[in-house]
Amino acid sequence: MNFRSIRAIYIFEMSRFFRTLLQSFVSPVISTCLYFVVFGAAIGGRIDAVDGVSYGAFIVPGLIMFSVMTQAVSNASFGIYFPKFIGTIYEVLSAPVNFLEIVIGYVGAAASKALFIGLVILATSLFFVDIEIIHPFIMIFLLLVTCISFSLLGFILGIWANNFEQLQLVPLLIITPLVFLGGSFYSISMLPKFWQVVSLFNPVVYLISGFRWAFYNNSDVSITASLFAIIIFTVFCIFIIFLIFKTGWRLRP
Amino acid sequence: MTDMLSITGLSKRYNDGQVALENVSFDVKEGEILALLGPNGAGKTTLISAVCGLVVPTAGQVTVGGFDTRSNYRLARSLIGLVPQEIALEPFEKVINTVRFSRGLFGKSPNDDQIEIVLRQLSLWDKKDSKILQLSGGMKRRVLIAKALAHEPRVLFLDEPSAGVDVELRRDMWKLVSDLKSQGVTIILTTHYIEEAEAIADRVGVISKGKLILLEEKKALMKRMGRKKVEISLQSPIAVIPAKLQNFDLYLSDDGLTINYLYDAKASSNEITKLLNEISISNLQISDLKTSQSSLEEIFISLIEEPSK
């Protein structure tokens, strides 16, 4: 394993994040405050506690997952698409590195950024609601794996995209709806029976449910199913990236 | 000297059916400078890309420093530095960071002393904390070279290094290439500027339509294919070349003041003496005499045009 190369890619990618640190920090803080004002205070006041948890506290895990997933995809896809767009990808492709080292560098940086945002949202939430984390290790594990797996997905999108429109298209049309409908702001059990069954085909449901379980010990699906889903999803993304580098698809003509 | 780069039967056919390289084979010795000439779309960049791992070859084998670029790509690529044709740099990054990145990417330990040497060599030290977007086009090209040299490569590929650069940078680059050669670095450059190949290359290769149609020592090539020209300036204009001189391969300038004589540089005959005698007998008064040898450019054009004739 060429750790120096991984380190170089990671530091170079993170430097983009640090250049816009204020924006990276302020943006999730403001959006979290807005969510708490709208969902927590305005609407949440009219909603009963969900499974014994106040609505304001209930939405915290979903809110974190929502931001982590979208930010991970967005950071990772931009992280690899931008070098493709401006042509600097030539350097990475001609360097003595294998696919795993490239992925660890780029995805590691994107996942770190998403993790930072997730933690900022969690910290901001503490100002609005009382939060208890019953299973902290599972919570940390799920948060980390979600950051990594969605960064892997973003990495694939960044390689696939041929223009900025395509780069925005999949997150906008597929990922954001899946995350919104994945129980970020509600429990699946609140839905009519038919839509509960439909929701089970949404992989994001398993991630948010598992994450909420780590906080409050209650979930829409079993924690085992959640852990299984996230691991399968991560392995699947790694396999796709392996195939991309093996065939050179969209990278090496 | 040992072969630093060895290319055998290299071919590349793109998915759209376009054949960019066809059975190209050649070796480059350690410390040698090879200039690859060829028109746009000839396959020069594809050749470099195939060696550097940017393009997957359809067939053939490439070794760098004895290491196969596919089965032993880590060792092979760690020896290579690549300066691409297009300026491709992260616009918001500082110069020094982008060069540090290149060194780390190629697996080298951080060494700011080495980076300072490279940046000073390219007159970039004063700009080390400038963002790339603040630099001029020429400076950006220097950064590309600095990045390629950051990991101390043994083989340097320069893809059209002089495209769009001013005379000063071109001269600096030639000096740098010369310095690198003295350190034993092997250099392969593609260029449109024949004078560049003429000035710095040891050998010249000509690529046309994906095929290497010639690879020869520059001096030998110029001697073999170069033609010499004698320009004889006359004191008074003439309308036609006198009959006595018709046996020579002469042509008259439009103003009738210069007679041009083309002859083979390698021919060892006394044709010029005869010509001058005949001119004297014809009562033509010579005001000046100038000889010149055909440039690599003229040789290159004649090579490219020949197959299509």
Side-chain angles (χ1 to χ4, degrees), chain A:
Chain A
M1 189 67 85
N2 190 344
F3 290 104
R4 283 180 185 147
S5 304
I6 295 172
R7 181 175 172 271
I9 296 172
Y10 183 84
I11 289 175
F12 200 69
E13 279 302 295
M14 288 306 285
S15 70
R16 189 183 298 131
F17 177 66
F18 287 121
R19 277 200 298 269
T20 55
L21 188 62
L22 190 66
Q23 182 196 325
S24 307
F25 178 77
V26 170
S27 174
V29 168
I30 290 178
S31 62
T32 306
C33 293
L34 289 173
Y35 276 116
F36 275 108
V37 168
V38 175
F39 290 106
I43 298 173
R46 295 165 187 269
I47 298 175
D48 292 337
V50 184
D51 299 326
V53 180
S54 73
Y55 187 69
F58 176 84
I59 64 167
V60 171
L63 199 55
I64 294 171
M65 278 305 213
F66 177 77
S67 295
V68 160
M69 288 171 182
T70 50
Q71 286 292 325
V73 168
S74 149
N75 285 327
S77 58
F78 186 79
I80 191 68
Y81 177 74
F82 193 58
K84 263 176 59 185
F85 178 70
I86 61 173
T88 54
I89 192 79
Y90 84 88
E91 209 176 7
V92 175
L93 297 177
S94 64
V97 288
N98 65 20
F99 99 96
L100 205 56
E101 290 151 0
I102 296 174
V103 171
I104 293 172
Y106 279 105
V107 169
S112 301
K113 296 171 199 173
L115 180 66
F116 172 81
I117 289 163
L119 294 176
V120 167
I121 293 171
L122 179 62
T124 310
S125 304
L126 295 172
F127 289 99
F128 292 91
V129 287
D130 292 328
I131 295 167
E132 54 173 335
I133 303 171
I134 296 174
H135 307 285
F137 292 110
I138 296 284
M139 175 262 176
I140 291 166
F141 174 78
L142 279 171
L143 183 61
L144 279 175
V145 180
T146 305
C147 288
I148 293 166
S149 59
F150 275 73
S151 295
L152 288 167
L153 178 65
F155 189 81
I156 295 168
L157 290 176
I159 291 174
W160 165 77
N162 276 328
N163 52 51
F164 277 102
E165 192 186 4
Q166 287 183 350
L167 195 68
Q168 303 291 340
L169 207 65
V170 172
L172 194 71
L173 295 183
I174 299 172
I175 295 170
T176 305
L178 281 182
V179 175
F180 252 107
L181 300 173
S184 296
F185 302 105
Y186 58 87
S187 169
I188 302 300
S189 60
M190 292 170 161
L191 298 172
K193 195 73 187 167
F194 173 75
W195 290 108
Q196 283 187 34
V197 175
V198 170
S199 293
L200 294 177
F201 289 96
N202 179 358
V204 175
V205 165
Y206 295 85
L207 308 184
I208 294 177
S209 168
F211 198 57
R212 188 170 287 133
W213 179 87
F215 275 75
Y216 307 122
N217 205 26
N218 57 45
S219 58
D220 294 319
V221 292
S222 78
I223 182 64
T224 314
S226 293
L227 291 172
F228 193 66
I230 187 77
I231 288 166
I232 291 281
F233 179 59
T234 308
V235 171
F236 177 73
C237 288
I238 292 172
F239 178 68
I240 295 291
I241 294 172
F242 168 75
L243 287 181
I244 287 172
F245 276 89
K246 193 172 169 60
T247 57
W249 183 72
R250 300 258 164 125
L251 287 175
R252 290 187 172 100

Side-chain angles (χ1 to χ4, degrees), chain B residues 105-130:
Chain B
L105 185 65
F106 276 73
K108 289 274 184 171
S109 58
N111 184 344
D112 278 357
D113 292 342
Q114 172 61 23
I115 286 170
E116 183 176 343
I117 290 169
V118 171
L119 291 179
R120 285 193 186 280
Q121 213 170 6
L122 288 153
S123 308
L124 279 170
W125 185 244
D126 293 343
K127 303 277 183 189
K128 68 179 190 302
D129 292 319
S130 301

Side-chain angles (χ1 to χ4, degrees), chain B residues 86-100:
Chain B
E86 302 292 332
I87 292 176
L89 293 162
E90 173 90 28
F92 305 106
E93 195 51 88
K94 284 181 185 174
V95 169
I96 194 158
N97 288 345
T98 190
V99 179
R100 278 182 185 140

